[in-house]
Amino acid sequence: MHVLVLGAGVVGVTTAWYLQAQGHQVTVIDRQSMSGLETSYANGGQISVSHAEPWANPSAPLKVLKWLFQPDAPLLFRPRLDPYQWRWALSFLTQCTSAKAAHNIRQMVNLGTYSRAQLQALRKEMDLDYDHLEKGILHFYTNPAEFDAALEPARIMRSQGCDRQVIDADQAVQREPALAPIRHRIVGATYTADDESGDARKFTQALARHCEKAGVQFVYGTEVLDFDRTGDRILGVQVLSEGKHQTLRADNYVLSLGSFSAILARRLGLFLNIYPAKGYSITVPVKNQDAAFNVSLTDDEYKLVYSRLGDRIRVAGTAELNGYTRDLNYTRCRAIVRRAAEIMPEAGQWDQAEFWTGLRPTTPSNVPYVGKSHFANLYLNTGHGTLGWTHSCGSAAALADILGGRKPEVDFTFSGL
């Protein structure tokens, strides 16, 4: 079959790869000039099965209220006259029970574990180079309440096969000596040896090149405008390319446009509860090799992740629910630099920070839409939130199975099944 994939981020490109591997003719369209230039461009860099605790959990409502008027808060809600924002927010609150949080953790751990294995197989098959490190992920805590709150989610993750071990401050420094200067402030930590890190943009663009060699066609500089449809079938996609309107047709279509998937789906009367959570990152050169870390780190209190990407350091995180704007909020940028410099002052050249922001396509539960839609030939692979890089290979492999009429190998609640 001919499959048209909408979106050339890490989720769209991995989807294209697994579809062509199953014998389909694949075309990928994207408004950018090449793959991986939007939300995949400068994300946190973690393949983090252990980062499966959803934002919606029993402690979230009070935290959000506390952070409401704090401009550098880890999670910032900016109320707008946008019914979709408020609908998302109300759904978020319904997901904040212990039972639903536990269910969502299990969903994300299952998909994440499967996805990490798919990525490892892909890397071995094609010898992909994307500054990856297989040194695990260490969550450290400088706030006792945050550490205590992490113990139950970590237990649930272990019960699902994610070996997120609880360790003390001495063990944390033993795992990552770069944390030694703040040893006295660390109240506890967890460590997941099987997790990884790497540059999502480098991976996406390297895999796109392999896709092209395998026969996948990429159509860049092309904006998706609308669908042609009849009944429950999509007949084509209306696009704008080089100022010209045209319609692209295929047998099946996959929606992987990140936060913009929800806007396009509404053209079909299809509601996807996805809202953009603007995330920030900084990228700096390594200053001191001995002081810089190699184990990828997560600072849960500040909702920041740290990844070593060759001779660069990436620090990313926070979330701003403020519509589709991608303007930089320098208060939030400076807050990331301040915390990173406080934790590891000699690791990076913090005064040379390159700032970036991207729109994470977030569902209230943090569980993505993967599978069939209400339309016979439209499939969904979107809404991955902060875990698009982590879940990309697994959700793509599963979607290729679903489109081909096979049952996916992973225990996950797929859309439309």
Side-chain angles (χ1 to χ4, degrees):
M1 293 180 287
H2 180 202
V3 184
L4 190 61
V5 177
L6 313 183
V10 67
V11 174
V13 171
T14 50
T15 299
W17 175 261
Y18 285 99
L19 286 169
Q20 68 78 30
Q22 294 198 11
H24 301 295
Q25 176 191 350
V26 183
T27 302
V28 182
I29 61 177
D30 196 277
R31 64 182 177 184
Q32 298 291 346
S33 60
M34 63 187 304
S35 62
L37 293 187
E38 294 208 13
T39 307
S40 304
Y41 184 83
N43 71 7
Q46 291 188 338
I47 301 297
S48 50
V49 179
S50 61
H51 203 78
E53 184 180 6
W55 294 348
N57 59 67
S59 67
L62 285 178
K63 285 183 178 179
V64 172
L65 283 175
K66 181 182 74 172
W67 291 334
L68 195 57
F69 301 105
Q70 185 179 327
D72 60 351
L75 177 59
L76 184 63
F77 179 73
R78 292 290 197 195
R80 302 170 65 90
L81 294 175
D82 180 352
Y84 295 102
Q85 183 195 51
W86 286 98
R87 185 169 180 174
W88 188 96
L90 291 172
S91 296
F92 176 88
L93 291 175
T94 69
Q95 294 291 325
C96 289
T97 67
S98 297
K100 288 186 177 180
H103 170 79
N104 294 332
I105 288 172
R106 295 185 186 99
Q107 292 283 293
M108 290 190 286
V109 167
N110 288 349
L111 182 58
T113 303
Y114 175 67
S115 188
R116 187 177 60 201
Q118 293 294 316
L119 169 65
Q120 291 168 347
L122 204 59
R123 183 173 65 228
K124 183 177 180 180
E125 175 187 348
M126 289 184 285
D127 193 28
L128 294 170
D129 178 18
Y130 52 93
D131 291 329
H132 79 277
L133 289 173
E134 300 171 74
K135 295 181 179 293
I137 291 178
L138 190 153
H139 291 65
F140 66 91
Y141 300 85
T142 56
N143 181 310
E146 291 288 337
F147 177 61
D148 290 343
L151 298 179
E152 177 60 14
R155 185 196 65 77
I156 296 172
M157 292 177 206
R158 288 193 298 275
S159 74
Q160 295 302 115
C162 174
D163 191 23
R164 184 176 171 182
Q165 295 298 318
V166 178
I167 59 177
D168 62 23
D170 289 333
Q171 291 170 311
V173 172
Q174 184 179 7
R175 293 285 185 185
E176 180 44 75
L179 292 174
I182 62 163
R183 157 65 187 83
H184 63 289
R185 295 175 57 190
I186 297 174
V187 297
T190 68
Y191 178 69
T192 310
D194 292 333
D195 279 346
E196 305 183 358
S197 60
D199 190 321
R201 170 166 48 102
K202 279 190 173 183
F203 170 86
T204 302
Q205 293 175 353
L207 185 59
R209 290 190 290 271
H210 281 276
C211 284
E212 289 180 308
K213 291 177 183 177
V216 174
Q217 180 184 7
F218 286 83
V219 182
Y220 293 117
T222 301
E223 184 177 0
V224 181
L225 302 176
D226 206 345
F227 293 99
D228 289 343
R229 56 176 283 198
T230 180
D232 71 341
R233 293 195 66 81
I234 306 299
L235 299 179
V237 176
Q238 299 174 22
V239 300
L240 180 65
S241 179
E242 298 181 348
K244 297 179 182 178
H245 290 263
Q246 56 181 308
T247 300
L248 302 180
R249 303 190 188 281
D251 300 308
N252 291 283
Y253 303 82
V254 180
L255 184 56
S256 293
L257 287 173
S259 296
F260 298 91
S261 296
I263 294 176
L264 193 62
R266 291 201 290 267
R267 299 274 189 171
L268 295 167
L270 178 63
F271 175 70
L272 300 180
N273 202 357
I274 295 171
Y275 199 77
K278 182 163 65 172
Y280 289 79
S281 77
I282 63 170
T283 306
V284 304
V286 170
K287 179 180 179 181
N288 182 335
Q289 294 287 347
D290 294 330
F293 57 94
N294 284 291
V295 174
S296 191
L297 304 170
T298 298
D299 183 354
D300 267 339
E301 181 181 354
Y302 285 78
K303 300 294 185 281
L304 295 175
V305 301
Y306 299 69
S307 292
R308 178 76 177 271
L309 305 175
D311 59 359
R312 299 167 296 146
I313 289 173
R314 172 78 46 76
V315 187
T318 79
E320 183 180 329
L321 298 169
N322 191 22
Y324 284 80
T325 171
R326 281 174 283 185
D327 297 339
L328 283 171
N329 179 328
Y330 284 97
T331 298
R332 299 178 73 74
C333 293
R334 287 189 291 269
I336 295 175
V337 174
R338 185 168 59 248
R339 177 64 172 178
E342 174 191 339
I343 295 298
M344 286 175 285
E346 295 301 312
Q349 297 183 27
W350 305 114
D351 59 341
Q352 297 183 28
E354 174 186 310
F355 299 122
W356 174 85
T357 186
L359 301 178
R360 307 187 192 102
T362 307
T363 65
S365 65
N366 286 155
V367 178
Y369 292 96
V370 183
K372 298 178 179 179
S373 76
H374 299 313
F375 292 84
N377 59 339
L378 176 65
Y379 295 81
L380 307 172
N381 198 4
T382 190
H384 295 75
T386 58
L387 295 176
W389 179 205
T390 298
H391 289 163
S392 57
C393 290
S395 61
L399 186 73
D401 283 338
I402 291 169
L403 194 147
R406 289 174 290 276
K407 183 180 179 180
E409 299 173 3
V410 56
D411 181 11
F412 182 81
T413 303
F414 293 98
S415 305
L417 294 183

